[in-house]
Coordinates of all heavy atoms in Angstrom, one line a residue:
S1 N 82.6 -226.5 47.3 CA 83.9 -227.2 47.3 C 83.9 -228.4 46.3 O 84.9 -228.7 45.8 CB 84.2 -227.7 48.7 OG 83.3 -228.7 49.1
T2 N 82.7 -229.0 46.1 CA 82.7 -230.1 45.1 C 82.9 -229.6 43.7 O 83.6 -230.2 42.9 CB 81.3 -230.8 45.2 OG1 81.1 -231.3 46.5 CG2 81.2 -232.0 44.3
I3 N 82.3 -228.4 43.4 CA 82.6 -227.8 42.1 C 84.0 -227.5 41.9 O 84.6 -227.7 40.8 CB 81.7 -226.6 41.9 CG1 80.2 -227.0 41.8 CG2 82.1 -225.8 40.6 CD1 79.2 -225.9 41.7
D4 N 84.6 -226.9 42.9 CA 86.1 -226.6 42.9 C 86.9 -227.8 42.6 O 87.9 -227.8 41.9 CB 86.5 -225.9 44.1 CG 85.9 -224.5 44.3 OD1 85.5 -223.9 43.2 OD2 85.9 -224.0 45.4
K5 N 86.5 -228.9 43.3 CA 87.3 -230.1 43.2 C 87.1 -230.9 41.9 O 88.1 -231.4 41.3 CB 87.0 -231.1 44.3 CG 87.9 -232.3 44.4 CD 87.6 -233.0 45.7 CE 88.5 -234.2 45.8 NZ 88.3 -235.0 47.1
Y6 N 85.9 -230.9 41.4 CA 85.6 -231.8 40.2 C 85.1 -231.0 38.9 O 85.3 -231.5 37.9 CB 84.4 -232.8 40.5 CG 84.8 -233.7 41.6 CD1 84.4 -233.6 42.9 CD2 85.6 -234.8 41.3 CE1 84.8 -234.5 43.9 CE2 86.0 -235.7 42.3 CZ 85.6 -235.5 43.6 OH 85.9 -236.4 44.6
Q7 N 84.6 -229.9 39.0 CA 84.0 -229.0 38.1 C 82.4 -229.2 38.1 O 82.0 -230.2 38.5 CB 84.5 -229.1 36.6 CG 84.1 -230.3 35.8 CD 84.8 -230.3 34.5 OE1 85.9 -229.9 34.3 NE2 84.1 -230.9 33.5
V8 N 81.8 -228.2 37.6 CA 80.3 -228.2 37.7 C 79.7 -229.3 36.9 O 78.7 -229.9 37.2 CB 79.7 -226.8 37.3 CG1 79.8 -226.6 35.8 CG2 78.3 -226.7 37.7
E9 N 80.3 -229.7 35.7 CA 79.8 -230.8 34.9 C 80.5 -232.1 35.4 O 81.5 -232.5 34.8 CB 80.1 -230.6 33.4 CG 79.5 -229.4 32.9 CD 80.4 -228.2 33.0 OE1 81.5 -228.3 33.6 OE2 80.0 -227.1 32.4
S10 N 80.0 -232.7 36.4 CA 80.6 -233.9 37.0 C 79.6 -234.8 37.7 O 78.5 -234.4 38.1 CB 81.7 -233.6 38.0 OG 81.2 -233.0 39.1
L11 N 79.9 -236.1 37.8 CA 79.0 -237.1 38.5 C 78.9 -236.7 39.9 O 77.8 -236.8 40.5 CB 79.7 -238.4 38.3 CG 78.8 -239.7 38.5 CD1 77.7 -239.7 37.5 CD2 79.7 -240.9 38.3
E12 N 79.9 -236.2 40.5 CA 79.9 -235.8 41.9 C 78.9 -234.6 42.2 O 78.2 -234.6 43.2 CB 81.3 -235.5 42.4 CG 82.3 -236.6 42.4 CD 82.9 -236.9 41.1 OE1 82.7 -236.2 40.1 OE2 83.6 -238.0 41.0
V13 N 78.9 -233.7 41.3 CA 78.0 -232.5 41.4 C 76.6 -233.0 41.2 O 75.7 -232.5 41.9 CB 78.4 -231.4 40.5 CG1 77.4 -230.3 40.4 CG2 79.8 -230.8 41.0
A14 N 76.3 -233.8 40.2 CA 75.0 -234.3 40.0 C 74.4 -235.0 41.2 O 73.3 -234.9 41.6 CB 75.0 -235.3 38.8
K15 N 75.3 -235.8 41.9 CA 74.9 -236.5 43.1 C 74.6 -235.5 44.2 O 73.5 -235.6 44.8 CB 76.0 -237.4 43.6 CG 75.6 -238.2 44.8 CD 76.8 -239.2 45.2 CE 76.5 -240.0 46.4 NZ 77.6 -240.9 46.7
E16 N 75.4 -234.5 44.4 CA 75.1 -233.5 45.4 C 73.9 -232.7 45.1 O 73.1 -232.4 46.0 CB 76.3 -232.6 45.6 CG 77.3 -233.0 46.6 CD 78.3 -231.9 47.1 OE1 77.9 -230.8 47.2 OE2 79.4 -232.3 47.3
M17 N 73.7 -232.4 43.9 CA 72.5 -231.7 43.5 C 71.2 -232.5 43.8 O 70.2 -231.9 44.3 CB 72.5 -231.4 42.0 CG 73.5 -230.3 41.6 SD 73.8 -230.1 39.8 CE 72.2 -230.0 39.2
V18 N 71.2 -233.7 43.5 CA 69.9 -234.5 43.7 C 69.7 -234.7 45.2 O 68.5 -234.6 45.7 CB 69.9 -235.8 42.9 CG1 70.8 -236.9 43.6 CG2 68.5 -236.3 42.7
I19 N 70.7 -234.9 46.0 CA 70.6 -235.0 47.4 C 70.1 -233.7 48.0 O 69.3 -233.6 48.9 CB 71.9 -235.5 48.1 CG1 72.1 -237.0 47.7 CG2 71.9 -235.4 49.6 CD1 73.5 -237.5 48.0
G20 N 70.7 -232.6 47.5 CA 70.3 -231.3 48.0 C 68.9 -230.9 47.7 O 68.1 -230.4 48.5
L21 N 68.4 -231.3 46.5 CA 67.1 -231.1 46.1 C 66.1 -231.9 47.0 O 65.1 -231.3 47.4 CB 66.8 -231.6 44.6 CG 65.4 -231.4 44.1 CD1 65.0 -229.9 44.1 CD2 65.4 -232.0 42.6
Y22 N 66.5 -233.1 47.3 CA 65.7 -233.9 48.2 C 65.6 -233.2 49.6 O 64.6 -233.1 50.2 CB 66.2 -235.3 48.4 CG 65.4 -236.1 49.5 CD1 64.1 -236.5 49.2 CD2 66.0 -236.2 50.7 CE1 63.4 -237.2 50.3 CE2 65.3 -236.8 51.7 CZ 64.0 -237.3 51.5 OH 63.3 -237.9 52.5
D23 N 66.8 -232.8 50.1 CA 66.8 -232.1 51.4 C 65.9 -230.9 51.5 O 65.3 -230.7 52.5 CB 68.3 -231.7 51.7 CG 69.2 -232.9 52.0 OD1 68.7 -234.0 52.3 OD2 70.4 -232.7 52.0
V24 N 65.8 -230.2 50.4 CA 65.0 -229.0 50.4 C 63.5 -229.3 50.2 O 62.6 -228.8 50.8 CB 65.4 -228.0 49.3 CG1 64.4 -226.9 49.0 CG2 66.8 -227.5 49.6
T25 N 63.2 -230.3 49.3 CA 61.8 -230.6 48.9 C 61.1 -231.7 49.6 O 59.9 -231.8 49.7 CB 61.7 -230.8 47.4 OG1 62.4 -232.0 47.1 CG2 62.2 -229.7 46.6
K26 N 62.0 -232.7 50.1 CA 61.5 -234.0 50.6 C 60.6 -234.7 49.6 O 59.7 -235.5 50.0 CB 60.8 -233.8 52.0 CG 61.6 -233.1 53.0 CD 62.8 -233.9 53.4 CE 63.6 -233.3 54.5 NZ 65.0 -233.3 54.4
S27 N 60.7 -234.5 48.4 CA 60.0 -235.1 47.3 C 60.3 -236.6 47.2 O 61.4 -237.0 47.5 CB 60.2 -234.4 46.0 OG 59.5 -234.9 45.0
E28 N 59.3 -237.4 46.8 CA 59.6 -238.8 46.6 C 60.5 -239.1 45.5 O 61.2 -240.1 45.5 CB 58.2 -239.5 46.4 CG 57.3 -239.6 47.6 CD 56.0 -240.3 47.4 OE1 56.0 -241.2 46.5 OE2 55.1 -240.0 48.0
I29 N 60.5 -238.2 44.5 CA 61.3 -238.4 43.3 C 62.0 -237.0 43.0 O 61.4 -236.0 42.9 CB 60.5 -238.8 42.0 CG1 59.8 -240.1 42.3 CG2 61.4 -238.8 40.8 CD1 58.9 -240.5 41.2
C30 N 63.3 -237.1 42.9 CA 64.1 -235.9 42.6 C 65.1 -236.3 41.4 O 65.6 -237.4 41.4 CB 64.9 -235.5 43.8 SG 64.0 -234.9 45.1
I31 N 65.3 -235.4 40.5 CA 66.3 -235.6 39.4 C 67.2 -234.3 39.3 O 66.7 -233.2 39.4 CB 65.5 -235.7 38.1 CG1 64.6 -237.0 38.1 CG2 66.5 -235.8 36.9 CD1 63.7 -237.1 36.9
S32 N 68.5 -234.6 39.1 CA 69.4 -233.5 38.8 C 70.2 -233.9 37.5 O 70.3 -235.0 37.2 CB 70.4 -233.4 39.9 OG 71.3 -234.5 40.0
V33 N 70.6 -232.8 36.8 CA 71.3 -233.0 35.5 C 72.3 -231.9 35.4 O 72.1 -230.7 35.7 CB 70.3 -232.9 34.3 CG1 71.1 -233.1 33.0 CG2 69.2 -233.9 34.4
T34 N 73.5 -232.3 35.0 CA 74.5 -231.3 34.6 C 75.3 -232.0 33.5 O 75.4 -233.2 33.3 CB 75.4 -231.0 35.8 OG1 76.3 -229.9 35.4 CG2 76.2 -232.2 36.4
G35 N 76.0 -231.2 32.7 CA 76.8 -231.7 31.6 C 76.9 -230.8 30.4 O 76.8 -229.6 30.6
F36 N 77.1 -231.4 29.3 CA 77.5 -230.7 28.1 C 76.5 -231.1 27.0 O 76.3 -232.3 26.7 CB 78.9 -231.1 27.6 CG 79.9 -231.0 28.6 CD1 80.2 -232.0 29.5 CD2 80.6 -229.8 28.8 CE1 81.2 -231.9 30.5 CE2 81.6 -229.6 29.8 CZ 81.9 -230.7 30.6
A37 N 75.9 -230.1 26.3 CA 75.2 -230.3 25.1 C 76.3 -230.1 24.0 O 77.5 -229.8 24.3 CB 74.0 -229.4 24.9
A38 N 76.0 -230.2 22.7 CA 76.9 -230.0 21.7 C 77.4 -228.5 21.7 O 76.7 -227.6 21.8 CB 76.3 -230.3 20.3
S39 N 78.7 -228.4 21.6 CA 79.3 -227.0 21.7 C 79.5 -226.4 20.3 O 79.7 -225.2 20.2 CB 80.7 -227.1 22.3 OG 81.6 -227.8 21.5
G40 N 79.4 -227.2 19.3 CA 79.6 -226.7 17.9 C 81.1 -226.7 17.6 O 81.5 -226.4 16.5
K41 N 81.9 -227.1 18.5 CA 83.4 -227.2 18.3 C 83.9 -228.6 18.3 O 85.1 -228.8 18.4 CB 84.1 -226.3 19.3 CG 83.7 -224.9 19.3 CD 84.4 -224.1 20.4 CE 83.9 -222.7 20.4 NZ 84.4 -221.9 21.5
K42 N 83.0 -229.6 18.3 CA 83.4 -231.0 18.3 C 84.4 -231.3 19.4 O 85.5 -231.7 19.2 CB 83.9 -231.4 17.0 CG 82.9 -231.3 15.9 CD 83.1 -232.2 14.7 CE 82.0 -232.0 13.8 NZ 81.9 -233.0 12.7
Q43 N 83.9 -231.2 20.6 CA 84.7 -231.5 21.8 C 84.4 -233.0 22.2 O 83.3 -233.5 22.0 CB 84.3 -230.6 23.0 CG 84.6 -229.1 22.7 CD 86.1 -228.8 22.6 OE1 86.9 -229.4 23.3 NE2 86.4 -228.0 21.6
P44 N 85.3 -233.7 22.9 CA 85.1 -235.0 23.4 C 83.9 -235.1 24.4 O 83.3 -236.2 24.5 CB 86.4 -235.5 24.0 CG 87.4 -234.5 23.6 CD 86.7 -233.2 23.2
T45 N 83.6 -234.0 25.0 CA 82.6 -234.0 26.0 C 81.2 -233.7 25.4 O 80.2 -233.7 26.2 CB 82.9 -233.0 27.1 OG1 83.1 -231.7 26.6 CG2 84.1 -233.4 27.9
D46 N 81.1 -233.4 24.2 CA 79.8 -233.0 23.5 C 78.8 -234.1 23.8 O 79.1 -235.3 23.6 CB 80.0 -232.8 22.0 CG 80.6 -231.4 21.7 OD1 80.7 -230.6 22.6 OD2 80.8 -231.2 20.5
G47 N 77.6 -233.7 24.3 CA 76.6 -234.7 24.5 C 76.7 -235.5 25.8 O 75.9 -236.4 26.0
L48 N 77.7 -235.2 26.6 CA 77.9 -235.9 27.8 C 77.1 -235.3 29.0 O 77.2 -234.1 29.2 CB 79.4 -236.0 28.2 CG 79.7 -236.6 29.5 CD1 79.3 -238.1 29.5 CD2 81.2 -236.5 29.7
C49 N 76.3 -236.0 29.7 CA 75.6 -235.5 30.8 C 75.7 -236.4 32.0 O 75.8 -237.6 31.8 CB 74.2 -235.1 30.5 SG 72.9 -236.3 30.7
Y50 N 75.7 -235.9 33.2 CA 75.7 -236.6 34.4 C 74.4 -236.3 35.1 O 73.9 -235.2 35.1 CB 76.8 -236.1 35.3 CG 78.2 -236.2 34.6 CD1 78.7 -235.1 34.0 CD2 78.9 -237.4 34.6 CE1 79.9 -235.1 33.4 CE2 80.1 -237.4 34.0 CZ 80.6 -236.3 33.4 OH 81.9 -236.4 32.8
Y51 N 73.8 -237.4 35.7 CA 72.5 -237.2 36.3 C 72.4 -238.0 37.6 O 73.1 -238.9 37.8 CB 71.3 -237.5 35.4 CG 71.3 -238.9 34.9 CD1 70.5 -239.8 35.6 CD2 72.0 -239.3 33.8 CE1 70.4 -241.2 35.1 CE2 71.9 -240.7 33.3 CZ 71.1 -241.6 34.0 OH 71.1 -242.9 33.6
G52 N 71.5 -237.5 38.4 CA 71.1 -238.2 39.6 C 69.6 -238.3 39.7 O 68.9 -237.4 39.3
I53 N 69.2 -239.5 40.2 CA 67.8 -239.8 40.4 C 67.7 -240.3 41.8 O 68.4 -241.2 42.2 CB 67.2 -240.8 39.4 CG1 67.3 -240.3 38.0 CG2 65.7 -241.1 39.8 CD1 67.0 -241.4 36.9
K54 N 66.8 -239.7 42.6 CA 66.5 -240.2 44.0 C 65.1 -240.5 44.0 O 64.2 -239.7 43.8 CB 66.9 -239.1 45.0 CG 66.8 -239.6 46.4 CD 67.4 -238.7 47.4 CE 67.4 -239.2 48.8 NZ 66.7 -240.4 49.2
I55 N 64.8 -241.8 44.3 CA 63.4 -242.3 44.5 C 63.4 -242.9 45.9 O 64.0 -244.0 46.2 CB 63.0 -243.4 43.5 CG1 63.3 -242.9 42.1 CG2 61.6 -243.8 43.7 CD1 63.2 -243.9 41.0
D56 N 62.8 -242.2 46.9 CA 62.8 -242.7 48.3 C 64.2 -242.9 48.7 O 65.0 -242.0 48.7 CB 61.9 -243.9 48.5 CG 60.4 -243.6 48.2 OD1 60.0 -242.5 48.5 OD2 59.7 -244.5 47.6
D57 N 64.6 -244.1 49.1 CA 66.0 -244.4 49.5 C 66.9 -244.8 48.4 O 68.1 -245.0 48.7 CB 65.9 -245.5 50.6 CG 65.3 -245.0 51.9 OD1 65.3 -243.8 52.2 OD2 64.7 -245.9 52.6
L58 N 66.4 -245.0 47.2 CA 67.3 -245.4 46.1 C 67.9 -244.1 45.5 O 67.3 -243.1 45.2 CB 66.4 -246.0 45.0 CG 67.1 -246.4 43.7 CD1 68.2 -247.5 43.9 CD2 66.1 -246.9 42.7
L59 N 69.2 -244.2 45.3 CA 70.0 -243.1 44.6 C 70.7 -243.7 43.4 O 71.5 -244.6 43.5 CB 71.0 -242.6 45.6 CG 71.9 -241.4 45.0 CD1 71.0 -240.2 44.7 CD2 72.9 -241.0 46.0
I60 N 70.4 -243.1 42.3 CA 71.1 -243.5 41.0 C 71.9 -242.3 40.6 O 71.4 -241.2 40.6 CB 70.0 -243.8 39.9 CG1 69.1 -245.0 40.3 CG2 70.7 -244.1 38.6 CD1 67.8 -245.1 39.5
N61 N 73.2 -242.6 40.2 CA 74.1 -241.5 39.8 C 74.9 -242.0 38.6 O 75.7 -242.9 38.8 CB 75.0 -241.2 41.0 CG 75.8 -239.9 40.9 OD1 76.9 -239.8 41.4 ND2 75.2 -238.9 40.2
E62 N 74.5 -241.6 37.5 CA 75.1 -242.1 36.2 C 75.4 -241.0 35.2 O 75.1 -239.9 35.4 CB 74.1 -243.1 35.6 CG 73.8 -244.3 36.5 CD 72.7 -245.2 35.9 OE1 71.9 -244.8 35.1 OE2 72.7 -246.3 36.4
S63 N 76.0 -241.5 34.1 CA 76.2 -240.6 33.0 C 75.7 -241.2 31.7 O 75.6 -242.4 31.6 CB 77.7 -240.3 32.8 OG 78.4 -241.4 32.5
V64 N 75.5 -240.4 30.7 CA 75.1 -240.8 29.4 C 75.7 -239.8 28.4 O 75.8 -238.6 28.7 CB 73.6 -241.0 29.2 CG1 72.9 -239.6 29.3 CG2 73.2 -241.6 27.9
Q65 N 76.2 -240.4 27.2 CA 76.7 -239.5 26.2 C 75.9 -239.8 24.9 O 75.8 -240.9 24.5 CB 78.2 -239.7 26.0 CG 78.7 -238.6 25.0 CD 80.2 -238.5 25.2 OE1 80.9 -239.3 25.7 NE2 80.8 -237.4 24.7
V66 N 75.4 -238.7 24.3 CA 74.6 -238.8 23.0 C 75.2 -237.9 22.0 O 76.1 -237.1 22.3 CB 73.2 -238.5 23.3 CG1 72.5 -239.4 24.3 CG2 73.0 -237.0 23.8
K67 N 74.8 -238.1 20.7 CA 75.3 -237.3 19.6 C 74.2 -236.5 19.0 O 73.0 -236.9 19.0 CB 76.0 -238.2 18.6 CG 77.2 -238.9 19.0 CD 77.8 -239.7 17.9 CE 79.1 -240.4 18.5 NZ 79.8 -241.2 17.4
G68 N 74.6 -235.4 18.4 CA 73.6 -234.5 17.7 C 73.9 -233.1 18.0 O 74.8 -232.7 18.7
S69 N 73.0 -232.2 17.5 CA 73.1 -230.8 17.7 C 72.8 -230.5 19.2 O 72.4 -231.4 19.9 CB 72.1 -230.1 16.9 OG 70.8 -230.3 17.3
R70 N 72.9 -229.3 19.6 CA 72.7 -228.9 21.0 C 71.3 -229.3 21.5 O 71.1 -230.0 22.5 CB 72.9 -227.4 21.2 CG 72.9 -226.9 22.6 CD 73.4 -225.5 22.7 NE 73.4 -225.0 24.0 CZ 74.3 -225.2 24.9 NH1 75.4 -226.0 24.6 NH2 74.3 -224.7 26.1
N71 N 70.3 -229.0 20.7 CA 68.9 -229.3 21.1 C 68.6 -230.8 21.0 O 67.9 -231.4 21.8 CB 67.9 -228.5 20.3 CG 67.8 -227.1 20.8 OD1 68.1 -226.8 21.9 ND2 67.5 -226.2 19.9
V72 N 69.2 -231.5 20.0 CA 69.0 -232.9 19.9 C 69.7 -233.6 21.1 O 69.1 -234.5 21.7 CB 69.6 -233.4 18.5 CG1 69.7 -235.0 18.5 CG2 68.8 -232.9 17.4
C73 N 70.9 -233.2 21.5 CA 71.5 -233.7 22.7 C 70.6 -233.6 23.9 O 70.4 -234.5 24.7 CB 72.9 -233.1 22.9 SG 74.2 -233.7 21.8
R74 N 70.1 -232.4 24.1 CA 69.2 -232.2 25.2 C 68.0 -233.1 25.2 O 67.6 -233.6 26.3 CB 68.8 -230.7 25.3 CG 69.8 -229.7 25.6 CD 69.3 -228.3 25.5 NE 70.3 -227.4 26.0 CZ 70.3 -226.1 25.7 NH1 69.3 -225.6 25.0 NH2 71.2 -225.3 26.1
R75 N 67.4 -233.2 24.1 CA 66.2 -234.1 24.0 C 66.6 -235.6 24.3 O 65.9 -236.3 25.0 CB 65.5 -234.0 22.6 CG 64.7 -232.8 22.5 CD 63.8 -232.8 21.3 NE 64.5 -232.9 20.0 CZ 65.0 -231.9 19.3 NH1 64.8 -230.7 19.7 NH2 65.6 -232.1 18.2
K76 N 67.7 -236.0 23.7 CA 68.1 -237.4 23.9 C 68.5 -237.7 25.3 O 68.2 -238.7 25.9 CB 69.3 -237.7 23.0 CG 68.9 -237.9 21.5 CD 70.2 -238.3 20.7 CE 69.9 -238.5 19.3 NZ 71.1 -238.8 18.5
Q77 N 69.2 -236.7 26.0 CA 69.6 -236.9 27.4 C 68.3 -236.9 28.2 O 68.2 -237.8 29.1 CB 70.4 -235.7 27.8 CG 71.8 -235.7 27.2 CD 72.5 -234.4 27.3 OE1 71.9 -233.3 27.6 NE2 73.8 -234.4 27.0
T78 N 67.4 -236.0 28.0 CA 66.1 -236.0 28.8 C 65.3 -237.3 28.6 O 64.9 -237.9 29.6 CB 65.2 -234.8 28.3 OG1 66.0 -233.6 28.6 CG2 63.9 -234.8 29.1
K79 N 65.3 -237.8 27.4 CA 64.6 -239.0 27.1 C 65.2 -240.2 27.8 O 64.5 -241.0 28.4 CB 64.5 -239.3 25.6 CG 63.7 -240.5 25.2 CD 63.7 -240.7 23.7 CE 63.0 -241.9 23.3 NZ 62.9 -242.1 21.8
H80 N 66.5 -240.3 27.8 CA 67.3 -241.3 28.5 C 67.0 -241.3 30.0 O 66.7 -242.3 30.6 CB 68.8 -241.2 28.2 CG 69.6 -242.1 29.1 ND1 69.8 -243.4 28.6 CD2 70.1 -242.0 30.3 CE1 70.5 -244.1 29.6 NE2 70.7 -243.2 30.6
I81 N 67.0 -240.1 30.6 CA 66.8 -240.0 32.0 C 65.4 -240.3 32.4 O 65.2 -241.1 33.4 CB 67.2 -238.6 32.5 CG1 68.7 -238.3 32.3 CG2 66.8 -238.3 34.0 CD1 69.1 -236.9 32.4
L82 N 64.4 -239.9 31.6 CA 63.0 -240.2 32.0 C 62.8 -241.7 31.8 O 62.0 -242.3 32.5 CB 62.1 -239.3 31.1 CG 62.1 -237.9 31.5 CD1 61.2 -237.1 30.5 CD2 61.7 -237.6 32.9
K83 N 63.4 -242.3 30.8 CA 63.2 -243.7 30.6 C 63.8 -244.5 31.7 O 63.2 -245.5 32.2 CB 63.9 -244.2 29.3 CG 63.6 -245.6 28.9 CD 64.2 -245.9 27.5 CE 63.9 -247.4 27.2 NZ 64.4 -247.7 25.9
R84 N 65.0 -244.0 32.2 CA 65.6 -244.7 33.4 C 64.7 -244.6 34.6 O 64.5 -245.5 35.3 CB 67.0 -244.0 33.6 CG 67.8 -244.6 34.7 CD 68.4 -245.9 34.3 NE 69.4 -246.3 35.2 CZ 69.2 -247.1 36.3 NH1 68.0 -247.6 36.5 NH2 70.2 -247.4 37.1
L85 N 64.2 -243.4 34.8 CA 63.2 -243.2 35.9 C 62.0 -244.1 35.8 O 61.6 -244.7 36.7 CB 62.8 -241.7 35.9 CG 61.7 -241.3 36.9 CD1 62.1 -241.6 38.4 CD2 61.2 -239.9 36.7
Y86 N 61.4 -244.1 34.6 CA 60.3 -245.0 34.4 C 60.6 -246.4 34.7 O 59.8 -247.1 35.4 CB 59.8 -244.8 32.9 CG 58.7 -245.8 32.6 CD1 57.4 -245.6 32.9 CD2 59.0 -247.0 31.9 CE1 56.4 -246.5 32.6 CE2 58.0 -247.9 31.6 CZ 56.7 -247.6 32.0 OH 55.7 -248.5 31.7
N87 N 61.7 -246.9 34.2 CA 62.1 -248.3 34.5 C 62.3 -248.6 35.9 O 61.9 -249.7 36.4 CB 63.3 -248.7 33.7 CG 63.1 -248.8 32.2 OD1 61.9 -249.1 31.8 ND2 64.1 -248.6 31.4
E88 N 62.8 -247.6 36.7 CA 63.0 -247.8 38.1 C 61.6 -247.8 38.8 O 61.4 -248.7 39.7 CB 63.9 -246.7 38.7 CG 65.3 -246.9 38.4 CD 65.9 -248.2 39.0 OE1 65.5 -248.7 40.0 OE2 66.8 -248.8 38.3
I89 N 60.8 -246.9 38.5 CA 59.4 -246.8 39.1 C 58.7 -248.1 38.8 O 58.0 -248.7 39.6 CB 58.7 -245.6 38.6 CG1 59.3 -244.4 39.2 CG2 57.2 -245.7 39.0 CD1 58.8 -243.1 38.6
K90 N 58.7 -248.6 37.5 CA 58.0 -249.8 37.1 C 58.6 -251.0 37.9 O 57.8 -251.8 38.3 CB 58.3 -250.0 35.6 CG 57.5 -251.1 35.0 CD 57.7 -251.0 33.5 CE 57.9 -252.4 33.0 NZ 58.2 -252.5 31.5
G91 N 59.9 -251.0 38.1 CA 60.5 -252.1 38.9 C 60.2 -252.1 40.4 O 60.2 -253.1 41.0
L92 N 59.8 -250.9 40.9 CA 59.6 -250.8 42.3 C 58.2 -251.2 42.7 O 57.9 -251.5 43.8 CB 59.8 -249.3 42.8 CG 61.2 -248.9 42.8 CD1 61.3 -247.4 43.2 CD2 62.1 -249.7 43.8
S93 N 57.3 -251.2 41.7 CA 55.9 -251.5 42.0 C 55.6 -253.0 42.1 O 56.3 -253.8 41.8 CB 54.9 -250.8 41.0 OG 55.3 -251.1 39.7

């Protein structure tokens, strides 16, 4: 129903995904990602991704938009998310 209401590439879906992953795994750290890499057609959503990070009781649900080719966008998005995770873990200790 969330996908029907918002679409698969949305902040709301990223949040549900990370909560669902936690519910299934009970892992201390969970990450979800959905969004758009470069389409090759120069769309306003190119490079936009939504992500969720769950660390114990902390829930982060954000978006980031980067520029570049499809693979460059994926690498930049991944780097951003992992840096965000690292900074949160560093701050928690």
Side-chain angles (χ1 to χ4, degrees):
S1 66
T2 304
I3 291 171
D4 291 339
K5 186 172 181 180
Y6 295 102
Q7 79 182 25
V8 72
E9 302 91 354
S10 66
L11 201 56
E12 294 80 8
V13 168
K15 182 179 180 180
E16 268 196 37
M17 286 169 50
V18 79
I19 291 169
L21 180 60
Y22 173 77
D23 289 345
V24 170
T25 66
K26 302 299 185 216
S27 180
E28 291 179 29
I29 297 173
C30 295
I31 298 173
S32 69
V33 181
T34 186
F36 307 89
S39 66
K41 298 177 185 175
K42 298 206 177 191
Q43 300 293 321
T45 55
D46 281 354
L48 175 62
C49 85
Y50 305 95
Y51 63 94
I53 300 173
K54 186 166 180 359
I55 308 169
D56 297 323
D57 292 330
L58 174 66
L59 179 63
I60 298 164
N61 193 214
E62 299 175 339
S63 65
V64 63
Q65 189 161 19
V66 297
K67 292 183 180 182
S69 69
R70 188 169 182 81
N71 285 333
V72 168
C73 284
R74 288 176 176 162
R75 281 193 301 271
K76 286 180 178 180
Q77 291 165 345
T78 301
K79 185 177 177 180
H80 173 86
I81 294 165
L82 291 175
K83 186 174 181 180
R84 183 74 167 94
L85 172 63
Y86 173 79
N87 287 335
E88 284 301 324
I89 291 171
K90 189 173 136 183
L92 291 175
S93 50

